[in-house]
Amino acid sequence: MKILVTGTAGFIGYHLVHRLLAEGHEVVGLDSINNYYDVSLKIDRLESAGINRRFVAYKEMVESQLNPRYRFIQVRLEDNQVVENLFREEQFDIVCHLAAQAGVRYSIKNPKAYINSNVIGFANLLECCRNFPVKHLVYASSSSVYGLNRKVPFSTADNVDHPVSLYAATKKSNELMAHTYSHLFGIPTTGLRFFTVYGPWGRPDMAYFLFTNAILNDKPIKVFNHGQMSRDFTYIGDIVEGIMNILPTPPSPNEQWSGEHPDPASSSAPYRIFNIGNNKPTKLLDFIATIEEILGKEAQKTMMPMQPGDVESTFADVSGLQTQFDYQPSTPLRKGLEDFVEWYLKYYQKNKIIV
């Protein structure tokens, strides 16, 4: 199939492209390559997937020298005309939308970046899927939509109307916008609520990356909410496995859906929502202890209060994916962190970068 993947210079997008190419698909990738975090890491991801470093020319499509089935365009999704022209010319079978302005705390400092990328950019993408029909639109939502919810595990059957960050609010808005387009125009859409994804080539703003860097450099780590937190850490390989199963299977309208007792995760339209997580939350202090064991060094811990926009815990109910796709996350936390540390040491030693 011909598949558009947005956010291909990002963490999840990079790994997904590798898998799609390995299975013989044709991929067109988009990314704005913004400077939210280290741009060189994003470019190195593209190079690793087969895009030549000389690609960086705004709006220019470049044929990969290493894999002719992978092309890349540096563009913001807010640039509607470029994106529309691309859809017109390419006639995609499937769209996997992973591009977004990420980060909970950054959304407090720079809210406009989230509105532009996550709301306006997504609206442009929906319009393109409407005018140039695709078989399936799969898009990234987030566990952050659960906000103030306290009932665990977090279920897609739960109400999610109380976000605690603008980032979370934009992800909830994506789900609402997708449903509207599924209802009005019959576009099959699937939203995936990712739960704390980690692994090689990960994001430098994520806790496991920051902890590893600080411990190796004998610097203190910030432990928020005095360590009284837990996360459903999910290995990137398990995430990609889930996405690959979902992509070729667009949703059908739920014939049992009732407006009197509405199921938030499905609809009378071709629309659905899934949690995609590990289904095994880990306490933050246990998570840190595992990294310490792998590195053979003890962390200097600075206990901090809860940060605005954060939640105390996440815990994914993945029964929807298990029932429909036999989704079984299989990577133990220690093995996943060992894979990350191995990549981290090789990558930064190879590139002679002092983080």
Side-chain angles (χ1 to χ4, degrees):
M1 295 182 291
K2 181 184 286 188
I3 301 175
L4 173 67
V5 180
T6 70
T8 52
F11 174 33
I12 300 175
Y14 159 77
H15 284 276
L16 178 62
V17 166
H18 263 288
R19 181 68 178 273
L20 289 169
L21 294 174
E23 297 200 5
H25 298 289
E26 180 181 353
V27 177
V28 175
L30 303 184
D31 203 292
S32 66
I33 315 186
N34 66 27
N35 62 358
Y36 170 63
Y37 62 80
D38 184 15
V39 169
S40 65
L41 175 59
K42 298 180 180 183
I43 294 175
D44 286 341
R45 288 184 187 133
L46 289 170
E47 275 201 312
S48 176
I51 295 296
N52 190 280
R53 184 178 288 269
R54 291 174 293 177
F55 78 87
V56 186
Y58 186 60
K59 302 180 184 177
E60 179 182 351
M61 184 180 293
V62 176
E63 196 82 16
S64 163
Q65 293 185 353
L66 301 178
N67 195 324
R69 287 184 286 104
Y70 181 27
R71 288 168 290 151
F72 176 78
I73 305 171
Q74 182 183 4
V75 65
R76 298 183 308 152
L77 289 175
E78 304 95 291
D79 194 337
N80 183 55
Q81 194 59 57
V82 175
V83 179
E84 183 177 317
N85 290 342
L86 180 69
F87 270 77
R88 180 182 292 109
E89 294 167 3
E90 296 291 342
Q91 299 296 309
F92 298 111
D93 295 306
I94 291 174
V95 174
C96 188
H97 175 53
L98 302 174
Q101 177 57 61
V104 169
R105 297 181 191 120
Y106 187 64
S107 67
I108 298 172
K109 300 177 182 178
N110 195 353
K112 289 185 178 179
Y114 291 77
I115 299 300
N116 291 336
S117 177
N118 300 5
V119 179
I120 296 174
F122 190 58
N124 289 343
L125 199 67
L126 286 169
E127 274 294 287
C128 288
C129 291
R130 169 193 177 185
N131 294 321
F132 308 97
V134 298
K135 297 174 183 176
H136 194 188
L137 167 62
V138 177
Y139 62 95
S141 185
S142 169
S143 63
S144 66
V145 300
Y146 288 101
L148 292 177
N149 289 20
R150 290 294 178 266
K151 181 177 76 67
V152 292
F154 292 155
S155 169
T156 56
D158 296 335
N159 178 284
V160 288
D161 286 340
H162 298 89
V164 294
S165 69
L166 182 63
Y167 169 71
T170 63
K171 288 299 183 179
K172 173 64 186 293
S173 74
N174 287 172
E175 297 179 1
L176 297 174
M177 294 162 72
H179 182 267
T180 302
Y181 274 70
S182 293
H183 173 73
L184 291 175
F185 309 115
I187 301 171
T189 66
T190 299
L192 301 178
R193 294 174 178 169
F194 294 123
F195 279 70
T196 317
V197 188
Y198 74 99
W201 293 95
R203 278 172 34 201
D205 62 318
M206 297 294 285
Y208 65 95
F209 204 117
L210 294 170
F211 292 163
T212 300
N213 173 52
I215 294 170
L216 287 173
N217 288 282
D218 298 314
K219 295 180 180 179
I221 64 173
K222 295 179 180 179
V223 182
F224 294 110
N225 201 34
H226 304 281
Q228 302 305 306
M229 302 176 74
S230 64
R231 290 289 182 269
D232 199 345
F233 295 101
T234 313
Y235 186 66
I236 182 62
D238 293 326
I239 291 287
V240 170
E241 187 68 29
I243 297 173
M244 291 297 295
N245 289 333
I246 291 164
L247 284 176
T249 311
S252 299
N254 180 359
E255 295 180 357
Q256 279 73 50
W257 194 88
S258 167
E260 295 179 356
H261 304 284
D263 170 20
S266 67
S267 174
S268 56
Y271 167 91
R272 65 188 172 195
I273 297 290
F274 290 117
N275 287 334
I276 182 164
N278 194 41
N279 192 227
K280 293 179 181 178
T282 301
K283 294 180 180 179
L284 181 58
L285 292 178
D286 292 339
F287 182 73
I288 294 170
T290 302
I291 296 176
E292 289 175 321
E293 291 173 6
I294 294 169
L295 295 176
K297 295 185 68 174
E298 186 174 348
Q300 304 171 40
K301 303 177 187 69
T302 302
M303 297 298 176
M304 305 282 288
M306 178 75 87
Q307 296 295 287
D310 265 357
V311 297
E312 288 186 6
S313 64
T314 62
F315 182 178
D317 177 349
V318 296
S319 58
L321 278 183
Q322 288 173 334
T323 299
Q324 295 193 42
F325 296 99
D326 194 28
Y327 173 73
Q328 300 292 339
S330 60
T331 308
L333 179 66
R334 185 180 182 92
K335 174 62 167 64
L337 286 174
E338 286 174 346
D339 288 351
F340 166 73
V341 169
E342 180 182 6
W343 166 81
Y344 180 95
L345 294 173
K346 287 182 179 178
Y347 177 78
Y348 286 106
Q349 183 179 18
K350 172 185 174 182
N351 291 277
K352 298 181 180 179
I353 298 171
I354 299 175
V355 182

